[in-house]
Amino acid sequence: MAKSSVQKRVIRGIIAFIGFALFFLTLAYAPFPGGAAGVVLRNNQAKGIDATPLIYSDLENYNEIEKGLWQMKQAANAAKHNSAGKTSD
């Protein structure tokens, strides 16, 4: 009895899922790499440094920075609008 194409796709999907799960589990429990990257990772772990991408977005004065950027954008738009309205003689 031949398997239908749906059954084959389901089986391939399950095998792919298991493969990805094994791959990520291997990465999670693998030792630190050697070289400069390994030194940095070991240092971060030893000192408890959380070097996720969120560290760059966690600013204490973010609201002030955002307000300043908004004001600069408004000023640039106003200057652009004013210079576009001028004509040369």
Side-chain angles (χ1 to χ4, degrees):
M1 185 174 196
K3 293 183 181 179
S4 70
S5 64
V6 174
Q7 287 175 326
K8 288 179 183 178
R9 284 188 288 168
V10 169
I11 290 171
R12 275 191 272 163
I14 291 170
I15 291 171
F17 176 78
I18 291 171
F20 278 120
L22 289 174
F23 175 72
F24 287 114
L25 283 172
T26 302
L27 286 179
Y29 293 103
F32 286 116
V39 172
V40 171
L41 292 172
R42 283 188 290 277
N43 179 58
N44 288 351
Q45 187 181 36
K47 293 184 178 181
I49 297 172
D50 181 18
T52 63
L54 295 176
I55 195 170
Y56 302 108
S57 65
D58 187 22
L59 301 173
E60 292 178 9
N61 55 347
Y62 180 76
N63 289 333
E64 295 171 18
I65 293 170
E66 187 177 32
K67 183 178 178 182
L69 288 172
W70 184 81
Q71 290 171 346
M72 287 172 33
K73 182 178 178 183
Q74 293 298 319
N77 286 339
K80 182 178 176 182
H81 181 68
N82 288 339
S83 68
K86 296 181 181 179
T87 59
S88 61
D89 292 328

